[in-house]
Amino acid sequence: MSTVISVRIKKEIKEELEKQGIDVDQEVRKFLEELYLKVKAKEYVNKWIEDLKDVKPSVEGFSVGSVREDRESH
């Protein structure tokens, strides 16, 4: 599903960009899609931060002990 938006810019800007071989429609679409991805990524990061704020850190030395335990079990 898609929707249509319109953007008004100066005619000379569009003409110059097209003269340089730039597809204005494609560039605007690409910019908005990349902006969407950045917004969604920021949303996910903020959710993860919120989810992890109440998680207590591991006790000191947990990683070392866990790796050692794993190695010895093989």
Side-chain angles (χ1 to χ4, degrees):
M1 182 90 159
S2 62
T3 188
V4 176
I5 64 169
S6 64
V7 178
R8 191 172 291 273
I9 62 171
K10 292 181 181 178
K11 186 177 182 178
E12 64 188 64
I13 293 172
K14 185 172 187 245
E15 288 174 352
E16 181 61 30
L17 292 173
E18 288 175 341
K19 188 169 91 176
Q20 297 299 322
I22 297 170
D23 183 344
V24 176
D25 294 336
Q26 180 181 351
E27 291 298 322
V28 170
R29 191 176 305 109
K30 185 168 80 172
F31 172 80
L32 291 175
E33 288 170 354
E34 289 172 0
L35 180 59
Y36 167 79
L37 292 175
K38 289 177 185 178
V39 167
K40 293 305 284 183
K42 185 175 181 179
E43 203 174 272
Y44 283 122
V45 169
N46 288 336
K47 183 183 180 320
W48 294 333
I49 290 170
E50 184 65 28
D51 290 346
L52 294 173
K53 75 176 186 177
D54 295 328
V55 175
K56 295 179 182 168
S58 301
V59 296
E60 190 171 328
F62 172 78
S63 298
V64 173
S66 179
V67 171
R68 188 169 289 130
E69 180 183 320
D70 187 51
R71 286 181 182 160
E72 291 171 358
S73 70
H74 289 264

